[in-house]
C-alpha cells in the first residue's frame, strides 16, 4: 500500500529533490538523485536494486518520462523502467520518485496501479510565507525594518523575480555579501536593485 513509485507535483525540481532527500533521511534510506541526462544510462540492464536498496531514487524530470510514440528508444526505456518499478524487492526496497509541474507531464504508461500510483502536491506558500522564508534565509539580523516588517511585500517581489530555489539562492548570497562588505543592514531598496540589475557584482578596477 505504501507504493513503489511517487510523483510530486511541484514547480521546482530542485526543491522537489530536496524534499525526497529529507524523506530518505527520515526513513533511514539511501538517497540517489539522477539528472535527466543520466536516467536512461543508469537504469540500464546492469542496474540492480540490490546494489542500492533501501533507497529513494529521484529521477529529474525530462524526456524519459513523457509520452512520445515517435521515439523508439524512449519507449523501450519506459517499458524497462515500468518493469523495474513493478519488480519491487522487499529485502532491498527502492522507491522511485520524480516530479513535474503537471501530472500530464508523466506518460499515461506510468500512471497505473503498481507504477507511479501515488501522487502528492505541495500546497504553495502564501506571499507572506514566501517573504518570511526568504528573509530568514538571508538572516533577520542582517535586514532592517523595511524588510523585517514587510513579509508580504518581500514575498511578492521574490515570487515575481526569484521564483525558483536556484535564483533565490543567488539572491540570498548576494545580499549576505553586500551586508558584510558594506557593514550595514540590507533594506528593501537592495531587493529592488537585484530584481532589476541582477546579482552580478561590479568591482572598481581602477589602479590605485
Amino acid at each position: 500500500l505504501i507504493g513503489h513509485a511517487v510523483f510530486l507535483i511541484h514547480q521546482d525540481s530542485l526543491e522537489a529533490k530536496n524534499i525526497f532527500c529529507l524523506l530518505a533521511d527520515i526513513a533511514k534510506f539511501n538517497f540517489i538523485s539522477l539528472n535527466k541526462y543520466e536516467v536512461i544510462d543508469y537504469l540500464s540492464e546492469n542496474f540492480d536494486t540490490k546494489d542500492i536498496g533501501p533507497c529513494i531514487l529521484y529521477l529529474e524530470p525530462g524526456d524519459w518520462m513523457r509520452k512520445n510514440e515517435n521515439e523508439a528508444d524512449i519507449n523501450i526505456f519506459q517499458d524497462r523502467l515500468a518493469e523495474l518499478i513493478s519488480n519491487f524487492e522487499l529485502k532491498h526496497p527502492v522507491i522511485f520518485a520524480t516530479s513535474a509541474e503537471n501530472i500530464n507531464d508523466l506518460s499515461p504508461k506510468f500512471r497505473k496501479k503498481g507504477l507511479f500510483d501515488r501522487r502528492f502536491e505541495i500546497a504553495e506558500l502564501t506571499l507572506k510565507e514566501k517573504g518570511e522564508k526568504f528573509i530568514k534565509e538571508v538572516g533577520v539580523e542582517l535586514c532592517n525594518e523595511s524588510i523585517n516588517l514587510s513579509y508580504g511585500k518581500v514575498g511578492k517581489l521574490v515570487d515575481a523575480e526569484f521564483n525558483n530555489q536556484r535564483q533565490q539562492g543567488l539572491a540570498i548570497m548576494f545580499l549576505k555579501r553586500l551586508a558584510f562588505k558594506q557593514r550595514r543592514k540590507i533594506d528593501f531598496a537592495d531587493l529592488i536593485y537585484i530584481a532589476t540589475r541582477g546579482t552580478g557584482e561590479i568591482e572598481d578596477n581602477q589602479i590605485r
Side-chain angles (χ1 to χ4, degrees):
L1 291 177
I2 291 175
H4 305 167
V6 182
F7 182 82
L8 178 64
I9 296 176
H10 204 296
Q11 305 296 314
D12 188 341
S13 63
L14 177 57
E15 191 167 345
K17 181 185 80 171
N18 291 338
I19 289 171
F20 284 116
C21 182
L22 176 62
L23 291 173
D25 185 59
I26 293 171
K28 306 301 182 188
F29 273 36
N30 298 319
F31 178 75
I32 296 175
S33 174
L34 302 177
N35 72 47
K36 58 187 175 182
Y37 303 111
E38 296 175 315
V39 171
I40 293 179
D41 287 340
Y42 185 85
L43 299 175
S44 66
E45 293 182 3
N46 296 321
F47 173 78
D48 192 334
T49 58
K50 296 184 181 67
D51 296 331
I52 63 171
C55 179
I56 292 181
L57 180 59
Y58 179 72
L59 313 178
E60 182 185 27
D63 290 341
W64 65 267
M65 70 192 299
R66 300 186 179 97
K67 181 179 180 180
N68 194 332
E69 297 176 351
N70 298 321
E71 291 288 341
D73 291 345
I74 295 293
N75 280 286
I76 291 172
F77 168 75
Q78 289 181 348
D79 290 340
R80 159 74 174 164
L81 178 56
E83 182 181 2
L84 288 173
I85 296 172
S86 297
N87 296 334
F88 189 77
E89 287 275 352
L90 286 175
K91 292 184 179 179
H92 308 279
V94 173
I95 305 296
F96 292 82
T98 192
S99 64
E101 296 183 12
N102 191 293
I103 185 61
N104 292 323
D105 291 331
L106 185 67
S107 171
K109 183 181 292 186
F110 292 125
R111 286 184 267 147
K112 296 179 180 179
K113 175 185 173 183
L115 299 181
F116 284 92
D117 58 11
R118 297 208 75 173
R119 180 179 71 196
F120 295 94
E121 184 170 0
I122 304 298
E124 188 172 2
L125 299 177
T126 66
L127 293 179
K128 184 178 179 180
E129 289 170 334
K130 289 180 180 180
E132 182 178 7
K133 180 175 180 289
F134 184 82
I135 291 167
K136 285 182 177 178
E137 291 192 35
V138 172
V140 175
E141 72 285 355
L142 299 181
C143 303
N144 70 12
E145 290 186 352
S146 69
I147 291 179
N148 286 333
L149 298 180
S150 305
Y151 285 176
K153 187 167 68 170
V154 172
K156 187 174 182 179
L157 181 66
V158 168
D159 187 61
E161 303 296 337
F162 314 108
N163 61 359
N164 63 55
Q165 195 171 42
R166 180 188 65 80
Q167 292 175 324
Q168 288 180 27
L170 292 174
I172 287 165
M173 291 309 300
F174 178 92
L175 294 171
K176 284 177 176 287
R177 291 175 179 132
L178 181 65
F180 177 80
K181 184 188 298 184
Q182 297 190 4
R183 305 263 191 258
R184 66 172 177 84
K185 292 191 174 185
I186 301 301
D187 59 35
F188 194 76
D190 295 314
L191 297 182
I192 296 294
Y193 177 85
I194 61 174
T196 55
R197 302 285 296 274
T199 55
E201 298 178 58
I202 299 175
E203 297 290 344
D204 183 4
N205 62 359
Q206 181 178 354
I207 298 176
R208 293 181 174 85

